[in-house]
Amino acid sequence: MHHKFLLKYYLLVLFMVGLFACHKEEPLVVSKPGTNLLYSLPQGDHPYDNDIVQFYHKYNCFILYKFDSVDYNYNMTGIVRSKLSITPADSNYIAQALTFMHKNLFDVYPESFLQKTMPFSILLSSEIMIDTSQVFTQRYYFDAYCSQRGISFGLVNDSFPELTTQQLNQARGWLNMVYWQAALANGHLSYPDGFTALSVPNNQYDLVLANQHKYGVLSSFFSHYFGPYDYTADFLSYIIEITSTDSTTFANTWLTPQVDINGLYKKKYELIINYYKTNYGINLQAIGDLKN
């Protein structure tokens, strides 16, 4: 199959509706032969299955490549996100995807941070899509997604070896963003002190593409944008942009006087960078500077 790859920016608002449903439940144990638990590892007999089992023992997190909709789109009362579909991975590209995830997500954070913030599950998917074609004549495809029990990586298919450097950097940004989204939803992370005061208030209808620089709002809000947003969406937009963009490019785009007309891009950027470097030992810009 050929994966439909959209432009750099997608609809962050779609993430916000289900944001705080991304709770990590009590960890399950790896099933022993003859047991009947929710998940059983390993799911196959490939070399990467050993790595997945070891990852579970280290973090109490299930990496799954065999699953169905109940694993990502249902809670106790029923379906969470209408028209969301997450298709299981193409097994031919799982090893390559796991290598990418280690280099661009797991290996870039301190061990203490990972132990504290790891989600309940990570789904390896060949496609993540929300179909609104009956209403908006659109289908939205995502590199990564935060759902009920964890996060999903949606590029594990035959297009993965052909992705450009820019597309791989974009995928890194989305993986990091949904990881942080899940961690925030579970209460494992705090926002930088003072960020909410810099962000546009909830339900701010004054924001449009033409005046985004007035509020220091990144472009990721404006692809197929339907309505108001909040400081969580604003914050996560910075996470994706910082972790997918090298420092020189970021400085020469968002931080120039012509763009940063009120200095809000620089204030938000520096606040986020300094807060997590000081309090969590994380250099987010170093992630954006990684080479794929």
Side-chain angles (χ1 to χ4, degrees):
M1 60 167 286
H2 179 72
H3 181 78
K4 299 182 180 68
F5 208 99
L6 294 188
L7 298 175
K8 181 175 182 181
Y9 298 114
Y10 300 98
L11 183 60
L12 273 179
V13 176
L14 289 172
F15 285 98
M16 299 306 112
V17 175
L19 175 65
F20 292 99
C22 301
H23 296 297
K24 184 174 182 179
E25 302 174 0
E26 289 299 317
L28 302 179
V29 297
V30 180
S31 298
K32 297 179 181 179
T35 60
N36 186 25
L37 298 179
L38 183 59
Y39 298 126
S40 178
L41 295 179
Q43 292 188 300
D45 57 0
H46 309 86
Y48 55 72
D49 283 293
N50 294 326
D51 297 333
I52 290 173
V53 170
Q54 292 175 12
F55 190 89
Y56 172 81
H57 285 304
K58 187 174 184 179
Y59 295 112
N60 282 337
C61 172
F62 289 95
I63 297 178
L64 304 172
Y65 55 88
K66 296 178 181 178
F67 53 86
D68 58 36
S69 60
V70 72
D71 297 312
Y72 63 83
N73 203 23
Y74 284 82
N75 60 19
M76 295 300 291
T77 60
I79 193 169
V80 175
R81 164 64 63 184
S82 179
K83 306 301 182 182
L84 169 65
S85 64
I86 300 180
T87 306
D90 183 332
S91 60
N92 293 315
Y93 303 96
I94 290 175
Q96 186 175 359
L98 289 172
T99 298
F100 177 84
M101 292 178 72
H102 273 281
K103 178 182 177 181
N104 291 275
L105 181 64
F106 305 133
D107 295 349
V108 301
Y109 292 110
E111 185 63 26
S112 58
F113 179 82
L114 294 175
Q115 289 289 346
K116 180 180 180 180
T117 58
M118 190 66 65
F120 175 79
S121 65
I122 299 172
L123 305 183
L124 302 181
S125 167
S126 62
E127 182 178 273
I128 303 171
M129 187 263 289
I130 294 178
D131 186 358
T132 64
S133 58
Q134 292 183 344
V135 179
F136 299 108
T137 66
Q138 292 285 348
R139 292 180 178 178
Y140 299 98
Y141 296 88
F142 299 89
D143 292 359
Y145 196 84
C146 179
S147 54
Q148 280 294 287
R149 290 178 177 166
I151 65 174
S152 305
F153 182 42
L155 297 178
V156 192
N157 58 57
D158 59 1
S159 72
F160 195 71
E162 301 175 4
L163 298 182
T164 66
T165 297
Q166 182 179 1
Q167 290 170 331
L168 290 170
N169 290 341
Q170 173 186 322
R172 179 180 63 225
W174 275 84
L175 268 174
N176 281 273
M177 187 274 285
V178 298
Y179 189 94
W180 282 64
Q181 183 181 1
L184 286 169
N186 286 311
H188 298 322
L189 283 176
S190 58
Y191 294 95
D193 298 331
F195 183 83
T196 56
L198 289 176
S199 186
V200 177
N202 290 354
N203 300 321
Q204 174 56 264
Y205 284 95
D206 179 50
L207 175 63
V208 292
L209 182 59
N211 67 3
Q212 69 178 101
H213 302 327
K214 172 183 176 181
Y215 296 110
V217 171
L218 296 169
S219 294
S220 35
F221 287 114
F222 292 105
S223 179
H224 313 292
Y225 181 73
F226 293 123
Y229 67 95
D230 60 14
Y231 63 84
T232 299
D234 194 9
F235 173 78
L236 291 174
S237 187
Y238 275 81
I239 295 297
I240 189 175
E241 189 71 17
I242 292 170
T243 59
S244 65
T245 309
D246 66 86
S247 54
T248 299
T249 300
F250 200 101
N252 290 336
T253 51
W254 299 110
L255 302 185
T256 62
Q258 295 80 10
V259 174
D260 196 11
I261 55 177
N262 289 328
L264 285 174
Y265 287 121
K266 183 178 181 180
K267 288 180 180 179
K268 292 180 184 181
Y269 172 82
E270 292 183 346
L271 183 63
I272 290 171
I273 294 294
N274 294 333
Y275 180 82
Y276 292 106
K277 187 180 295 184
T278 300
N279 293 280
Y280 292 85
I282 295 170
N283 186 343
L284 282 168
Q285 186 55 70
I287 300 174
D289 288 334
L290 290 172
K291 303 297 183 183
N292 272 305

mmCIF file of all heavy atoms in Angstrom, residues 185-220:
data_model
loop_
_atom_site.group_PDB
_atom_site.id
_atom_site.type_symbol
_atom_site.label_atom_id
_atom_site.label_comp_id
_atom_site.label_asym_id
_atom_site.label_seq_id
_atom_site.Cartn_x
_atom_site.Cartn_y
_atom_site.Cartn_z
ATOM 1 N N ALA A 185 -1.989 14.060 30.387
ATOM 2 C CA ALA A 185 -3.316 13.554 30.702
ATOM 3 C C ALA A 185 -3.302 12.683 31.950
ATOM 4 O O ALA A 185 -4.272 12.654 32.714
ATOM 5 C CB ALA A 185 -3.872 12.765 29.516
ATOM 6 N N ASN A 186 -2.211 11.974 32.172
ATOM 7 C CA ASN A 186 -2.094 11.092 33.323
ATOM 8 C C ASN A 186 -1.558 11.803 34.566
ATOM 9 O O ASN A 186 -1.382 11.169 35.603
ATOM 10 C CB ASN A 186 -1.188 9.910 32.982
ATOM 11 C CG ASN A 186 -1.868 8.908 32.069
ATOM 12 O OD1 ASN A 186 -2.991 8.502 32.328
ATOM 13 N ND2 ASN A 186 -1.206 8.525 31.000
ATOM 14 N N GLY A 187 -1.274 13.101 34.444
ATOM 15 C CA GLY A 187 -0.782 13.849 35.591
ATOM 16 C C GLY A 187 0.675 13.609 35.914
ATOM 17 O O GLY A 187 1.132 13.921 37.020
ATOM 18 N N HIS A 188 1.446 13.074 34.947
ATOM 19 C CA HIS A 188 2.848 12.769 35.184
ATOM 20 C C HIS A 188 3.764 13.942 34.851
ATOM 21 O O HIS A 188 4.970 13.879 35.128
ATOM 22 C CB HIS A 188 3.273 11.555 34.358
ATOM 23 C CG HIS A 188 2.531 10.302 34.702
ATOM 24 N ND1 HIS A 188 2.183 9.981 35.998
ATOM 25 C CD2 HIS A 188 2.058 9.293 33.925
ATOM 26 C CE1 HIS A 188 1.547 8.819 36.004
ATOM 27 N NE2 HIS A 188 1.436 8.397 34.759
ATOM 28 N N LEU A 189 3.233 14.980 34.230
ATOM 29 C CA LEU A 189 4.004 16.164 33.867
ATOM 30 C C LEU A 189 3.250 17.411 34.289
ATOM 31 O O LEU A 189 2.015 17.414 34.366
ATOM 32 C CB LEU A 189 4.240 16.219 32.353
ATOM 33 C CG LEU A 189 5.308 15.315 31.752
ATOM 34 C CD1 LEU A 189 5.308 15.472 30.230
ATOM 35 C CD2 LEU A 189 6.675 15.638 32.306
ATOM 36 N N SER A 190 3.983 18.475 34.526
ATOM 37 C CA SER A 190 3.369 19.770 34.815
ATOM 38 C C SER A 190 3.733 20.753 33.713
ATOM 39 O O SER A 190 4.771 20.627 33.056
ATOM 40 C CB SER A 190 3.853 20.311 36.165
ATOM 41 O OG SER A 190 5.271 20.428 36.180
ATOM 42 N N TYR A 191 2.862 21.721 33.497
ATOM 43 C CA TYR A 191 3.147 22.783 32.537
ATOM 44 C C TYR A 191 4.191 23.737 33.127
ATOM 45 O O TYR A 191 4.293 23.881 34.347
ATOM 46 C CB TYR A 191 1.885 23.582 32.232
ATOM 47 C CG TYR A 191 0.809 22.813 31.513
ATOM 48 C CD1 TYR A 191 -0.229 22.201 32.217
ATOM 49 C CD2 TYR A 191 0.813 22.699 30.132
ATOM 50 C CE1 TYR A 191 -1.233 21.500 31.562
ATOM 51 C CE2 TYR A 191 -0.183 21.998 29.462
ATOM 52 C CZ TYR A 191 -1.201 21.399 30.189
ATOM 53 O OH TYR A 191 -2.178 20.702 29.536
ATOM 54 N N PRO A 192 4.949 24.414 32.274
ATOM 55 C CA PRO A 192 5.890 25.419 32.786
ATOM 56 C C PRO A 192 5.158 26.531 33.530
ATOM 57 O O PRO A 192 4.084 26.967 33.107
ATOM 58 C CB PRO A 192 6.553 25.956 31.513
ATOM 59 C CG PRO A 192 6.336 24.899 30.488
ATOM 60 C CD PRO A 192 5.024 24.260 30.815
ATOM 61 N N ASP A 193 5.723 26.960 34.615
ATOM 62 C CA ASP A 193 5.137 28.061 35.368
ATOM 63 C C ASP A 193 5.038 29.294 34.469
ATOM 64 O O ASP A 193 6.011 29.721 33.865
ATOM 65 C CB ASP A 193 5.997 28.386 36.595
ATOM 66 C CG ASP A 193 6.086 27.220 37.568
ATOM 67 O OD1 ASP A 193 5.134 26.428 37.613
ATOM 68 O OD2 ASP A 193 7.107 27.113 38.274
ATOM 69 N N GLY A 194 3.846 29.844 34.384
ATOM 70 C CA GLY A 194 3.638 31.050 33.609
ATOM 71 C C GLY A 194 3.216 30.818 32.171
ATOM 72 O O GLY A 194 2.884 31.785 31.471
ATOM 73 N N PHE A 195 3.204 29.573 31.714
ATOM 74 C CA PHE A 195 2.841 29.345 30.307
ATOM 75 C C PHE A 195 1.385 29.692 30.035
ATOM 76 O O PHE A 195 1.064 30.296 29.009
ATOM 77 C CB PHE A 195 3.113 27.896 29.896
ATOM 78 C CG PHE A 195 2.822 27.638 28.435
ATOM 79 C CD1 PHE A 195 3.762 27.944 27.470
ATOM 80 C CD2 PHE A 195 1.598 27.131 28.026
ATOM 81 C CE1 PHE A 195 3.502 27.738 26.123
ATOM 82 C CE2 PHE A 195 1.318 26.920 26.681
ATOM 83 C CZ PHE A 195 2.279 27.227 25.729
ATOM 84 N N THR A 196 0.490 29.326 30.928
ATOM 85 C CA THR A 196 -0.932 29.577 30.680
ATOM 86 C C THR A 196 -1.216 31.074 30.586
ATOM 87 O O THR A 196 -2.129 31.486 29.869
ATOM 88 C CB THR A 196 -1.798 28.954 31.778
ATOM 89 O OG1 THR A 196 -1.386 29.441 33.055
ATOM 90 C CG2 THR A 196 -1.671 27.434 31.768
ATOM 91 N N ALA A 197 -0.450 31.876 31.301
ATOM 92 C CA ALA A 197 -0.646 33.325 31.232
ATOM 93 C C ALA A 197 -0.220 33.879 29.878
ATOM 94 O O ALA A 197 -0.782 34.880 29.408
ATOM 95 C CB ALA A 197 0.133 34.017 32.355
ATOM 96 N N LEU A 198 0.761 33.248 29.242
ATOM 97 C CA LEU A 198 1.210 33.689 27.925
ATOM 98 C C LEU A 198 0.299 33.200 26.813
ATOM 99 O O LEU A 198 0.202 33.817 25.750
ATOM 100 C CB LEU A 198 2.633 33.182 27.651
ATOM 101 C CG LEU A 198 3.774 33.806 28.443
ATOM 102 C CD1 LEU A 198 5.076 33.103 28.102
ATOM 103 C CD2 LEU A 198 3.887 35.304 28.155
ATOM 104 N N SER A 199 -0.373 32.083 27.036
ATOM 105 C CA SER A 199 -1.209 31.492 26.009
ATOM 106 C C SER A 199 -2.524 32.246 25.891
ATOM 107 O O SER A 199 -2.968 32.918 26.818
ATOM 108 C CB SER A 199 -1.481 30.024 26.348
ATOM 109 O OG SER A 199 -2.164 29.391 25.299
ATOM 110 N N VAL A 200 -3.144 32.118 24.718
ATOM 111 C CA VAL A 200 -4.454 32.726 24.502
ATOM 112 C C VAL A 200 -5.468 32.027 25.396
ATOM 113 O O VAL A 200 -5.455 30.800 25.525
ATOM 114 C CB VAL A 200 -4.869 32.596 23.030
ATOM 115 C CG1 VAL A 200 -6.257 33.158 22.798
ATOM 116 C CG2 VAL A 200 -3.853 33.318 22.160
ATOM 117 N N PRO A 201 -6.395 32.758 26.029
ATOM 118 C CA PRO A 201 -7.386 32.121 26.904
ATOM 119 C C PRO A 201 -8.240 31.092 26.163
ATOM 120 O O PRO A 201 -8.370 31.130 24.945
ATOM 121 C CB PRO A 201 -8.243 33.305 27.372
ATOM 122 C CG PRO A 201 -7.391 34.496 27.188
ATOM 123 C CD PRO A 201 -6.524 34.204 25.997
ATOM 124 N N ASN A 202 -8.815 30.165 26.929
ATOM 125 C CA ASN A 202 -9.711 29.172 26.338
ATOM 126 C C ASN A 202 -10.835 29.852 25.563
ATOM 127 O O ASN A 202 -11.296 30.936 25.926
ATOM 128 C CB ASN A 202 -10.317 28.293 27.428
ATOM 129 C CG ASN A 202 -9.285 27.377 28.046
ATOM 130 O OD1 ASN A 202 -8.149 27.297 27.601
ATOM 131 N ND2 ASN A 202 -9.693 26.673 29.089
ATOM 132 N N ASN A 203 -11.269 29.193 24.482
ATOM 133 C CA ASN A 203 -12.401 29.673 23.685
ATOM 134 C C ASN A 203 -12.156 31.064 23.101
ATOM 135 O O ASN A 203 -13.048 31.918 23.093
ATOM 136 C CB ASN A 203 -13.689 29.669 24.515
ATOM 137 C CG ASN A 203 -14.031 28.283 25.010
ATOM 138 O OD1 ASN A 203 -13.858 27.301 24.294
ATOM 139 N ND2 ASN A 203 -14.504 28.201 26.235
ATOM 140 N N GLN A 204 -10.928 31.300 22.656
ATOM 141 C CA GLN A 204 -10.574 32.597 22.089
ATOM 142 C C GLN A 204 -10.921 32.596 20.595
ATOM 143 O O GLN A 204 -10.196 32.049 19.775
ATOM 144 C CB GLN A 204 -9.081 32.868 22.289
ATOM 145 C CG GLN A 204 -8.563 34.131 21.621
ATOM 146 C CD GLN A 204 -9.316 35.372 22.035
ATOM 147 O OE1 GLN A 204 -10.241 35.790 21.343
ATOM 148 N NE2 GLN A 204 -8.942 35.950 23.151
ATOM 149 N N TYR A 205 -12.038 33.201 20.253
ATOM 150 C CA TYR A 205 -12.498 33.197 18.867
ATOM 151 C C TYR A 205 -11.810 34.270 18.023
ATOM 152 O O TYR A 205 -11.979 34.301 16.812
ATOM 153 C CB TYR A 205 -14.014 33.403 18.812
ATOM 154 C CG TYR A 205 -14.789 32.180 19.189
ATOM 155 C CD1 TYR A 205 -15.251 31.999 20.485
ATOM 156 C CD2 TYR A 205 -15.061 31.177 18.249
ATOM 157 C CE1 TYR A 205 -15.964 30.858 20.840
ATOM 158 C CE2 TYR A 205 -15.770 30.038 18.583
ATOM 159 C CZ TYR A 205 -16.229 29.887 19.883
ATOM 160 O OH TYR A 205 -16.926 28.759 20.248
ATOM 161 N N ASP A 206 -11.056 35.147 18.660
ATOM 162 C CA ASP A 206 -10.390 36.200 17.913
ATOM 163 C C ASP A 206 -9.256 35.652 17.051
ATOM 164 O O ASP A 206 -8.862 36.276 16.073
ATOM 165 C CB ASP A 206 -9.845 37.246 18.891
ATOM 166 C CG ASP A 206 -9.116 38.378 18.186
ATOM 167 O OD1 ASP A 206 -9.692 38.944 17.238
ATOM 168 O OD2 ASP A 206 -7.979 38.687 18.574
ATOM 169 N N LEU A 207 -8.739 34.472 17.413
ATOM 170 C CA LEU A 207 -7.597 33.920 16.709
ATOM 171 C C LEU A 207 -7.982 33.428 15.309
ATOM 172 O O LEU A 207 -8.867 32.607 15.139
ATOM 173 C CB LEU A 207 -7.011 32.750 17.507
ATOM 174 C CG LEU A 207 -5.881 31.988 16.828
ATOM 175 C CD1 LEU A 207 -4.685 32.891 16.601
ATOM 176 C CD2 LEU A 207 -5.502 30.779 17.649
ATOM 177 N N VAL A 208 -7.291 33.962 14.313
ATOM 178 C CA VAL A 208 -7.426 33.488 12.938
ATOM 179 C C VAL A 208 -6.023 33.426 12.351
ATOM 180 O O VAL A 208 -5.061 33.933 12.940
ATOM 181 C CB VAL A 208 -8.322 34.415 12.091
ATOM 182 C CG1 VAL A 208 -9.765 34.363 12.570
ATOM 183 C CG2 VAL A 208 -7.793 35.848 12.113
ATOM 184 N N LEU A 209 -5.908 32.794 11.188
ATOM 185 C CA LEU A 209 -4.597 32.630 10.574
ATOM 186 C C LEU A 209 -3.895 33.960 10.364
ATOM 187 O O LEU A 209 -2.680 34.062 10.530
ATOM 188 C CB LEU A 209 -4.752 31.894 9.243
ATOM 189 C CG LEU A 209 -3.471 31.596 8.462
ATOM 190 C CD1 LEU A 209 -2.516 30.752 9.302
ATOM 191 C CD2 LEU A 209 -3.798 30.886 7.158
ATOM 192 N N ALA A 210 -4.649 34.972 10.051
ATOM 193 C CA ALA A 210 -4.052 36.263 9.731
ATOM 194 C C ALA A 210 -3.385 36.921 10.934
ATOM 195 O O ALA A 210 -2.500 37.760 10.769
ATOM 196 C CB ALA A 210 -5.118 37.199 9.153
ATOM 197 N N ASN A 211 -3.815 36.583 12.163
ATOM 198 C CA ASN A 211 -3.218 37.240 13.332
ATOM 199 C C ASN A 211 -2.562 36.257 14.296
ATOM 200 O O ASN A 211 -2.406 36.553 15.481
ATOM 201 C CB ASN A 211 -4.256 38.092 14.068
ATOM 202 C CG ASN A 211 -5.349 37.265 14.726
ATOM 203 O OD1 ASN A 211 -5.325 36.035 14.701
ATOM 204 N ND2 ASN A 211 -6.314 37.942 15.331
ATOM 205 N N GLN A 212 -2.151 35.082 13.809
ATOM 206 C CA GLN A 212 -1.550 34.085 14.686
ATOM 207 C C GLN A 212 -0.289 34.602 15.369
ATOM 208 O O GLN A 212 -0.007 34.260 16.522
ATOM 209 C CB GLN A 212 -1.219 32.809 13.912
ATOM 210 C CG GLN A 212 -0.078 32.984 12.913
ATOM 211 C CD GLN A 212 0.271 31.707 12.202
ATOM 212 O OE1 GLN A 212 -0.132 31.511 11.072
ATOM 213 N NE2 GLN A 212 1.017 30.822 12.844
ATOM 214 N N HIS A 213 0.499 35.442 14.671
ATOM 215 C CA HIS A 213 1.744 35.933 15.255
ATOM 216 C C HIS A 213 1.481 36.873 16.429
ATOM 217 O O HIS A 213 2.320 36.997 17.326
ATOM 218 C CB HIS A 213 2.571 36.652 14.193
ATOM 219 C CG HIS A 213 2.909 35.789 13.012
ATOM 220 N ND1 HIS A 213 3.134 34.436 13.110
ATOM 221 C CD2 HIS A 213 3.050 36.100 11.690
ATOM 222 C CE1 HIS A 213 3.408 33.938 11.924
ATOM 223 N NE2 HIS A 213 3.362 34.918 11.036
ATOM 224 N N LYS A 214 0.340 37.510 16.440
ATOM 225 C CA LYS A 214 -0.033 38.372 17.559
ATOM 226 C C LYS A 214 -0.065 37.596 18.867
ATOM 227 O O LYS A 214 0.295 38.118 19.929
ATOM 228 C CB LYS A 214 -1.411 38.997 17.278
ATOM 229 C CG LYS A 214 -2.021 39.768 18.432
ATOM 230 C CD LYS A 214 -3.406 40.273 18.058
ATOM 231 C CE LYS A 214 -4.092 40.973 19.223
ATOM 232 N NZ LYS A 214 -5.468 41.434 18.846
ATOM 233 N N TYR A 215 -0.478 36.331 18.789
ATOM 234 C CA TYR A 215 -0.621 35.505 19.987
ATOM 235 C C TYR A 215 0.515 34.493 20.152
ATOM 236 O O TYR A 215 0.497 33.709 21.107
ATOM 237 C CB TYR A 215 -1.951 34.756 19.941
ATOM 238 C CG TYR A 215 -3.157 35.653 19.974
ATOM 239 C CD1 TYR A 215 -3.964 35.811 18.851
ATOM 240 C CD2 TYR A 215 -3.490 36.357 21.125
ATOM 241 C CE1 TYR A 215 -5.076 36.635 18.882
ATOM 242 C CE2 TYR A 215 -4.598 37.185 21.165
ATOM 243 C CZ TYR A 215 -5.392 37.323 20.036
ATOM 244 O OH TYR A 215 -6.494 38.146 20.073
ATOM 245 N N GLY A 216 1.463 34.490 19.241
ATOM 246 C CA GLY A 216 2.535 33.502 19.335
ATOM 247 C C GLY A 216 2.041 32.096 19.140
ATOM 248 O O GLY A 216 2.487 31.166 19.810
ATOM 249 N N VAL A 217 1.124 31.915 18.196
ATOM 250 C CA VAL A 217 0.516 30.604 17.933
ATOM 251 C C VAL A 217 1.159 30.001 16.685
ATOM 252 O O VAL A 217 1.220 30.632 15.638
ATOM 253 C CB VAL A 217 -1.012 30.752 17.748
ATOM 254 C CG1 VAL A 217 -1.624 29.457 17.248
ATOM 255 C CG2 VAL A 217 -1.651 31.169 19.067
ATOM 256 N N LEU A 218 1.606 28.760 16.813
ATOM 257 C CA LEU A 218 2.265 28.087 15.708
ATOM 258 C C LEU A 218 1.260 27.606 14.671
ATOM 259 O O LEU A 218 0.087 27.411 14.967
ATOM 260 C CB LEU A 218 3.079 26.900 16.238
ATOM 261 C CG LEU A 218 4.231 27.300 17.176
ATOM 262 C CD1 LEU A 218 4.798 26.073 17.858
ATOM 263 C CD2 LEU A 218 5.327 28.034 16.407
ATOM 264 N N SER A 219 1.732 27.353 13.470
ATOM 265 C CA SER A 219 0.833 27.066 12.346
ATOM 266 C C SER A 219 0.057 25.772 12.495
ATOM 267 O O SER A 219 -0.896 25.537 11.772
ATOM 268 C CB SER A 219 1.640 27.003 11.034
ATOM 269 O OG SER A 219 2.180 28.256 10.729
ATOM 270 N N SER A 220 0.491 24.893 13.401
ATOM 271 C CA SER A 220 -0.157 23.594 13.509
ATOM 272 C C SER A 220 -1.615 23.691 13.914
ATOM 273 O O SER A 220 -2.344 22.722 13.855
ATOM 274 C CB SER A 220 0.602 22.703 14.491
ATOM 275 O OG SER A 220 1.142 23.436 15.539
#
